[in-house]
């Protein structure tokens, strides 16, 4: 659980790698501010959409 996604990684690449590492270990991510949780298919979709939105 994190307050905001930008608190988890220093860069977009770091954030994506951290989420993949956590997922590979069976740990799901929950961001309180962005209301994102990767424990469901829809949560993963929202996470990736949020990442793409920040990337553009």
């Amino acid at each position: 659980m994190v307050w905001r996604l930008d608190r988890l990684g220093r860069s977009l690449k770091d954030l994506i790698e951290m989420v993949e590492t956590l997922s590979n270990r069976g740990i799901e991510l929950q961001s309180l501010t962005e209301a994102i949780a990767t424990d469901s298919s829809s949560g993963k979709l929202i996470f990736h959409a949020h990442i793409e939105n920040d990337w553009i």
Side-chain angles (χ1 to χ4, degrees):
M1 184 179 300
V2 295
W3 179 250
R4 288 180 29 183
L5 290 176
D6 64 356
R7 302 286 89 200
L8 186 60
R10 292 181 178 254
S11 68
L12 187 58
K13 180 183 175 201
D14 287 345
L15 176 61
I16 292 169
E17 288 175 356
M18 178 63 72
V19 172
E20 287 178 4
T21 299
L22 292 172
S23 181
N24 290 339
R25 294 180 180 185
I27 302 168
E28 302 301 334
L29 173 71
Q30 183 174 6
S31 170
L32 298 175
T33 304
E34 291 95 357
I36 296 172
T38 61
D39 61 347
S40 67
S41 298
S42 60
K44 290 176 185 173
L45 178 64
I46 292 169
F47 170 76
H48 289 289
H50 183 79
I51 294 299
E52 286 182 20
N53 189 32
D54 284 350
W55 183 259
I56 295 175

